[in-house]
Each structure stands twice: as C-alpha cells, then as structure tokens.
C-alpha cells in the first residue's frame, strides 16, 4: 500500500515537472494587453506613425503584437548568436514587408562573355597574395553613410552605388535616384539587378552624386547629370563560392543578393551574427558586402551594408554567418555577387 502511494506521488511529481517544461518551451505572450498597447503607442510616437482610422490602427496593433510576441519569445527561448528587436517594420506583415522593402530580380539571362569573371582571374590575381583574415572597408574611407530606400523596392540601385563608391574611393555619395530613373531594363521600385545598373553607368560614362541628383523614393523621368562624380569601365561576376567571394571582398566592396524573406527574423534583426539556419536561398534583396571578420568567440561573419536606414540592425549593418559549407553561402550571398571595375 505504501509502495503504491509512493509510486502515485512520483508519477504526479513527474507530470508536474513535464508540464512545467512544456509550458516553458511553448511560445507565449510575455506582456499583458495593456503593456503591449502602451508599447505600441510609444513605438508609434518614436517612428512618427499615424493611421487612417481606428480600424486600421487595430489591424496594425494586432500585427505589432504578433511581431512583439515573436521577438520576445525568440530572444528568451532560443540560444542564438543574434538578437531581434522592434524597428520601423514592426507593424508590417511579412508579405507587406517583402513586397515593399525587398526588390532584387533574378537575371533572366546570363551576363555576356566580356562581363563575366575570366576563368583565370582568381588564380592569376588573388592567389599571388594571402588575403587578410579580416577587412572592414569602412576603415578605409570608401564606404559612405547608410542610406534609406524607404518604401521603394530599389535595393539594387543602393547596392550598385555602394559598390561603385567603394571602387571610386573619393568619398562621394552617389545617386541611387539616377539609377532608379535611368536604368531602363530594370523595374524601378518594383525591382532590378546590379549588373544592369553597372552597364548603365558604363554606357552613360559615369554617375553623379546624390547631392546633384537626390533620392525621391519614387521613379521619375530620367535626367542627365553633367557633374560626373564617379566612372567605371566594366563589371565582373564572382564565381559561386564563399572562398571566391572572400577574395573579391578583400579587393573592394561587392554587390550581392540575399534571401531576406524566409520568415520574420531578417526583418527584426538588431544585433549579433545572423545564422544561416534562419534563411534560405530565394534571392529577394540586394545589399553590399563591405568586409568580413571573426568574433571574439570564433564565429566568422560577413559584414553587410543594407539600405534600410541606420535604425535597422547594427546601425544599418548586419553581421552574417560566414563559411557555412555551402557553395551558395549563407542566405544565398555567393550566388549573384558582382562588382564594378575601373581599368
């Protein structure tokens, strides 16, 4: 009888422990409704957000609440190398975010023979010298301040100008608006590719500064600029591998396309080394690689310059896991890399 009672107590205790484990593992709201409503009001004030009516505000609040719940549970429950947080995208659904703030179009045709990387390029140039263990082109004065594409899917234009700024090396901030208006083969705010932007700059014999041709967040009529701030003579495509990409970035900033739409994590990233496990290879967004390095705990990363303003990520930048053992690289970063050349 005593033994049976002890077994019953043991079973009850085990069930209670199991219930505690399950409750801790399951995502759940960490704030009550009143606290979330107050946080939403504070967020609206910080970002200058207003809504058309109460119905829209309620809809946006529900999206905000879902995003906040996800962020809080992610940061508490998962042992990750990075953190998520609220930002200006926090009242947007995933579909709205991808449609508005991405904008990379996969090329429908391969680059022509005279614009692709030559088979002997890496063996003849890069293999002559050891590449550095880390590099940050911001320290070399060839990376301008982080820009903000706003609600226009022309990330391709910002990626291209950042790469040209890197090779020009004169500190000039170049005009993404000129590319948005004048690159006819792209879709403007609907998306585009960096190689077509490079082709335009070659054919136009240069690009002007964004002071002379400021950004408008919408596609306008193309107008020529006479005060050329930078020129290029061509462009190359990088062989699909992280090693080739590392050797290219060791030479200059590189335009790349990445998957920024596989779930909510990329949108809400605020710090740390973003994990390749949390993205795929469906290329939806264009950014610029401006370096690479290794954290104190040995985590290797790519240094990515984005065009979503300084409030996103690490002051507008992301550190993305490097050397993941796949030719396409983390988030597909090695799949469509290219850079301008200057003979």
């Amino acid at each position: 009888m005593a033994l049976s009672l002890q077994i019953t107590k043991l079973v009850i205790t085990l069930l209670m422990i199991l219930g505690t484990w399950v409750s801790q593992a399951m995502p759940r709201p960490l704030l009550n409704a009143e606290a979330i409503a107050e946080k939403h009001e504070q967020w609206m004030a910080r970002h200058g957000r207003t809504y058309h009516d109460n119905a829209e505000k309620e809809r946006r609040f529900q999206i905000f609440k879902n995003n906040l719940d996800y962020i809080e549970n992610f940061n508490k429950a998962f042992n990750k190398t990075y953190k998520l947080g609220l930002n200006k995208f926090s009242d947007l659904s995933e579909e709205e975010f991808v449609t508005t703030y991405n904008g990379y179009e996969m090329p429908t045709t391969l680059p022509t023979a005279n614009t692709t990387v030559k088979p002997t390029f890496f063996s003849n140039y890069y293999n002559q010298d050891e590449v550095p263990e880390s590099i940050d082109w911001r320290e070399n004065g060839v990376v301008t301040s982080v820009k903000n594409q706003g609600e226009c899917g022309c990330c391709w234009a910002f990626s291209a100008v950042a790469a040209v700024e890197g090779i020009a090396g004169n500190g000039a901030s170049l005009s993404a608006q000129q590319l948005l208006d004048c690159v006819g083969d792209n879709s403007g705010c609907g998306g585009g590719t960096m190689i077509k932007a490079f082709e335009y700059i070659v054919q136009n014999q240069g690009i002007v500064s964004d002071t002379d041709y400021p950004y408008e967040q919408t596609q306008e009529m193309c107008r020529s600029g006479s005060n050329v701030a930078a020129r290029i003579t061509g462009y190359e495509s990088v062989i699909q591998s992280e090693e080739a990409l590392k050797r290219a970035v060791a030479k200059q900033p590189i335009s790349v396309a990445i998957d920024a739409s596989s779930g909510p994590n990329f949108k809400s990233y605020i710090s740390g080394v973003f994990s390749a496990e949390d993205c795929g290879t469906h290329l939806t967004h264009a950014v610029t690689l401006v370096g690479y390095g290794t954290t104190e705990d040995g985590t290797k990363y790519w240094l990515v310059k984005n065009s979503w303003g300084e409030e996103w990520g690490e002051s507008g930048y992301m550190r993305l896991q490097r050397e993941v053992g796949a030719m396409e690289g983390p988030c597909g970063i090695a799949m469509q890399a290219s850079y301008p050349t200057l003979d």
Side-chain angles (χ1 to χ4, degrees), residues 192-205:
T193 64
M194 292 75 79
I195 58 175
K196 291 179 181 177
F198 295 148
E199 288 174 352
Y200 164 79
I201 297 171
V202 173
Q203 295 166 2
N204 191 60
Q205 298 184 356

Side-chain angles (χ1 to χ4, degrees), residues 30-224:
L30 301 180
L31 298 172
N32 60 40
E34 184 177 346
I36 295 175
E38 181 179 355
K39 189 175 283 288
H40 183 230
E41 292 291 340
Q42 293 171 347
W43 176 89
M44 289 175 59
R46 176 180 178 182
H47 295 282
R49 185 77 88 247
T50 58
Y51 300 118
H52 178 68
D53 53 29
N54 288 335
E56 182 189 4
K57 184 176 181 179
E58 176 60 26
R59 184 170 70 88
R60 291 296 168 193
F61 171 74
Q62 291 301 323
I63 296 174
F64 176 88
K65 178 181 179 298
N66 291 338
N67 286 330
L68 177 61
D69 285 345
Y70 181 86
I71 289 167
E72 296 284 349
N73 281 293
F74 177 92
N75 289 339
K76 180 183 179 182
F78 294 96
N79 182 21
K80 293 288 187 178
T81 56
Y82 66 98
K83 295 292 185 181
L84 305 182
L86 295 174
N87 57 30
K88 62 183 177 181
F89 304 129
S90 296
D91 70 342
L92 298 178
S93 68
E94 290 307 304
E95 182 180 0
E96 290 171 326
F97 169 73
V98 171
T99 301
T100 305
Y101 292 96
N102 287 196
Y104 178 76
E105 291 183 339
M106 284 288 289
T108 55
T109 58
L110 293 175
T112 56
N114 67 333
T115 57
T116 56
V117 69
K118 308 300 187 295
T120 58
F121 182 77
F122 289 101
S123 60
N124 283 353
Y125 183 83
Y126 287 121
N127 289 344
Q128 292 179 3
D129 301 297
E130 292 292 331
V131 297
E133 286 301 313
S134 64
I135 191 166
D136 185 341
W137 284 106
R138 296 175 298 183
E139 298 173 354
N140 296 70
V142 299
V143 179
T144 64
S145 61
V146 172
K147 302 174 184 179
N148 190 349
Q149 69 188 68
E151 295 183 3
C152 172
C154 62
C155 52
W156 57 271
F158 285 93
S159 173
V161 296
V164 176
E165 289 166 353
I167 195 174
N170 56 11
S173 182
L174 303 177
S175 175
Q177 187 68 39
Q178 184 178 6
L179 299 181
L180 178 60
D181 292 348
C182 302
V183 180
D185 291 340
N186 279 343
S187 302
C189 288
T193 64
M194 292 75 79
I195 58 175
K196 291 179 181 177
F198 295 148
E199 288 174 352
Y200 164 79
I201 297 171
V202 173
Q203 295 166 2
N204 191 60
Q205 298 184 356
I207 183 172
V208 304
S209 71
D210 58 13
T211 301
D212 290 336
Y213 204 144
Y215 186 56
E216 303 290 344
Q217 290 195 40
T218 184
Q219 188 173 25
E220 306 286 349
M221 292 292 295
C222 177
R223 59 187 190 273
S224 59

Side-chain angles (χ1 to χ4, degrees), residues 176-304:
Q177 187 68 39
Q178 184 178 6
L179 299 181
L180 178 60
D181 292 348
C182 302
V183 180
D185 291 340
N186 279 343
S187 302
C189 288
T193 64
M194 292 75 79
I195 58 175
K196 291 179 181 177
F198 295 148
E199 288 174 352
Y200 164 79
I201 297 171
V202 173
Q203 295 166 2
N204 191 60
Q205 298 184 356
I207 183 172
V208 304
S209 71
D210 58 13
T211 301
D212 290 336
Y213 204 144
Y215 186 56
E216 303 290 344
Q217 290 195 40
T218 184
Q219 188 173 25
E220 306 286 349
M221 292 292 295
C222 177
R223 59 187 190 273
S224 59
S226 56
N227 299 321
V228 171
R231 289 183 170 87
I232 62 173
T233 54
Y235 68 92
E236 303 278 358
S237 296
V238 181
I239 298 169
Q240 184 176 313
S241 80
E242 282 201 85
E243 176 60 25
L245 189 57
K246 178 182 177 182
R247 294 181 175 275
V249 179
K251 179 185 177 185
Q252 66 191 80
I254 305 294
S255 286
V256 293
I258 56 176
D259 178 6
S261 60
S262 295
N265 294 23
F266 203 102
K267 175 185 72 175
S268 300
Y269 165 83
I270 59 168
S271 65
V273 179
F274 192 87
S275 174
E277 297 177 354
D278 296 327
C279 56
T281 57
H282 177 56
L283 304 180
T284 57
H285 187 51
V287 292
T288 313
L289 272 185
V290 297
Y292 56 84
T294 306
T295 64
E296 292 183 356
D297 66 1
T299 303
K300 296 182 178 181
Y301 65 85
W302 296 109
L303 181 59
V304 175

